[in-house]
Amino acid sequence: MASSENQSLPERPKGEETGAPSKNALKKAAKDKEKAEKAAKRQEQERLEKEKVEASDTSKHLYGKLVEGILDPSKQKAGAITTIRDLNEGLENKEVTVRARVHNARVQSAKLAFLDLRQRTENVQAVIAEGGANGISRQMVKWCGGLNKESIVLVTGLVKKPKEPINSATISNLELHVECCFVVSEGPVQLPMQVKDAMHPPPVGDEADTEDQVDSQGVPVVSLNVRLNNRVLSLRTPTDQAIFQINGAICELFREHLRKQQFQELQTPKIAGAATEGGSGVFEINYFNTPAFLTQSPQFYKQMAIAGDMERVFEIGPVFRAENSNTARHLTEFTGLDFEMEIHHKWEEIIDFAEGLLIFIFNGLRERCQYWMEVIQREYPDAGNFKIPEGRAPRIRFADGIKMLNEAGIAASPDEDISTTNEKTLGRLVLQKYQTDFYFLTHYPTAARPFYTHLDPSNPSLTHSYDAFMRGQEIVSGAQRIHDPTTLTQRMRGMEPPLDPDSEGFKHYVNAFRMGCAPHGGGGFGLNRITMLWLGLGNIRQATLFPRDPGRKAP
């Protein structure tokens, strides 16, 4: 056998030496070099052309992106900021500076572009035209017309009257003729939803989760779920801006009325060492490796404050309910407006006070929030169309409300709490009979109220309790409370299942009454539900900044 040294090597192609590039490789390298040289030459030409264009741009100091969103005084004189809402005909031919979002931008021609500038609830058209006193360039026209939607811009211009009203703008009788435009904060090229598309009511009922659909006018339908997933964008709509002004106004009116009536504001704890109020709808949390619970209401603490001789107290704060209710009117966290007061003569003093408080809020919304209501009525024409009685609101005993339902052919029991469906039906019946959207149900059955509710001495199967209703939905629940410790402990032990008044969750509460406490009562309002019903919104989540429900804990 021949040795390995003598074995023949594979035959190489003729003319090919070991390590030398092939002719094909040489040709490819030459082509790559030629392409690279052409690309470099083209880039150089483009650079020179860009420099030439920039050199000829007489407006380059009038537009661009601000460093950290702050205007450099050396580039442009910084004037006072005018809000779009304050633009009026008295400013015609005067120079103003606005800071707003780009609602829309478009180039009409090489010489003309338009911006739709939006600030909270109002928008105005801005015109960028070549030439003018400042010598606006075509480069500036093109740049302005290509701005990304939702960018924040600082625009200075002259206020002018357009030849015809601008129907797409809320400020339709004026426009801005742009002199300079700077980007404060740039919006993204692509948005998860368009703000303009969310400026229509979300679908409700069976179509509530409709996505990737358009309405009869061809406008994309933005579901409530999409809006809540992109809450920062949906909050930019004029309607959402106004809704939360109404939310704030209700709190302001609530606090104002109570302070005038010598009520003291409280801030009660939201963490408790035991599940209180005897209900199961409570959130358990880990509190330094021991169980604790989020409070279902400030009820116990309000009453303990009354026992502490505070006489009249109130609170505005979060309320937590671990109830798996996936409805248009329920949340697992909402803002509660609570009050508690001593009773001097009769338990109806509480209803009198609650009614006066609600009427004060309703009238205050009409008197102080006309502008915000008008904004909301662009989408919800019936917002605020709420019938209030001229005299005292109807007070219907619970049994009589059930009788009204029965007479209308609806099955309902006077011994059980009323269902949501029957509440709405009763609301329609009350409206027909009393011509009001606002009324009270009183004397609920004992089985339908918490253990601390005072029983009716003339009929222990009933209670000194009430609920207030708007448009057939409950907004306030209240009652006289049991202040006698013996009666309270008996009532607790008689619950099903029984409650132990000496347990960790109840002993401090019960002991407050053992030390003496005046007769008292109060009520709890749901802020978000009042806003929803006053405005006629389709879902309580629309009246909640960042709603929490069984399926949502973010954003």
Side-chain angles (χ1 to χ4, degrees), residues 261-282:
Q261 301 299 321
Q262 306 303 312
F263 277 71
Q264 180 174 340
E265 187 165 5
L266 304 179
Q267 295 80 36
T268 63
K270 305 307 168 197
I271 298 175
T276 57
E277 300 196 36
S280 59
V282 60

Side-chain angles (χ1 to χ4, degrees), residues 109-136:
S109 68
K111 300 180 180 181
L112 183 65
F114 295 94
L115 294 177
D116 186 354
L117 300 178
R118 188 190 74 245
Q119 184 183 54
R120 302 197 72 184
T121 57
E122 308 295 342
N123 66 306
V124 67
Q125 177 174 274
V127 182
I128 308 96
E130 183 184 17
N134 284 7
I136 289 177

Side-chain angles (χ1 to χ4, degrees), residues 57-119:
D57 186 357
T58 58
S59 304
K60 57 185 177 182
H61 63 293
L62 299 176
Y63 69 98
K65 186 173 183 179
L66 299 181
V67 177
E68 296 187 356
I70 300 174
L71 184 64
D72 182 356
S74 66
K75 284 190 174 183
Q76 181 72 23
K77 182 180 179 181
I81 304 295
T82 300
T83 62
I84 291 178
R85 181 180 170 184
D86 289 336
L87 294 177
N88 59 76
E89 293 185 358
L91 295 172
E92 187 179 1
N93 295 320
K94 293 183 180 179
E95 184 181 87
V96 298
T97 298
V98 300
R99 187 164 76 174
R101 288 194 181 272
V102 176
H103 192 59
N104 197 19
R106 60 187 176 91
V107 174
Q108 183 77 5
S109 68
K111 300 180 180 181
L112 183 65
F114 295 94
L115 294 177
D116 186 354
L117 300 178
R118 188 190 74 245
Q119 184 183 54

Side-chain angles (χ1 to χ4, degrees), residues 213 254 264 300 321 343 406 444 472 476 488 511 513 553:
Q213 300 290 328
F254 178 83
Q264 180 174 340
F300 283 10
R321 300 286 170 85
I343 296 172
N406 294 157
Y444 276 72
V476 182
L488 181 62
N511 283 340
F513 304 108
K553 55 182 182 291

Side-chain angles (χ1 to χ4, degrees), residues 277-293:
E277 300 196 36
S280 59
V282 60
F283 288 108
E284 182 174 347
I285 61 174
N286 185 335
Y287 191 74
F288 301 104
N289 297 321
T290 61
F293 305 87

Side-chain angles (χ1 to χ4, degrees), residues 208-258:
D209 295 324
T210 298
E211 296 183 20
D212 300 325
Q213 300 290 328
V214 295
D215 63 16
S216 57
Q217 281 76 43
V219 177
V221 174
V222 184
S223 70
L224 181 57
N225 195 47
V226 169
R227 296 170 196 239
L228 296 179
N229 288 340
N230 300 280
R231 194 55 163 152
V232 168
L233 287 177
S234 73
L235 287 175
R236 296 177 186 175
T237 64
T239 296
D240 276 17
Q241 291 284 318
I243 285 172
F244 293 101
Q245 289 287 338
I246 299 298
N247 249 9
I250 292 171
C251 291
E252 180 181 338
L253 291 162
F254 178 83
R255 179 178 280 114
E256 178 183 330
H257 187 73
L258 287 161

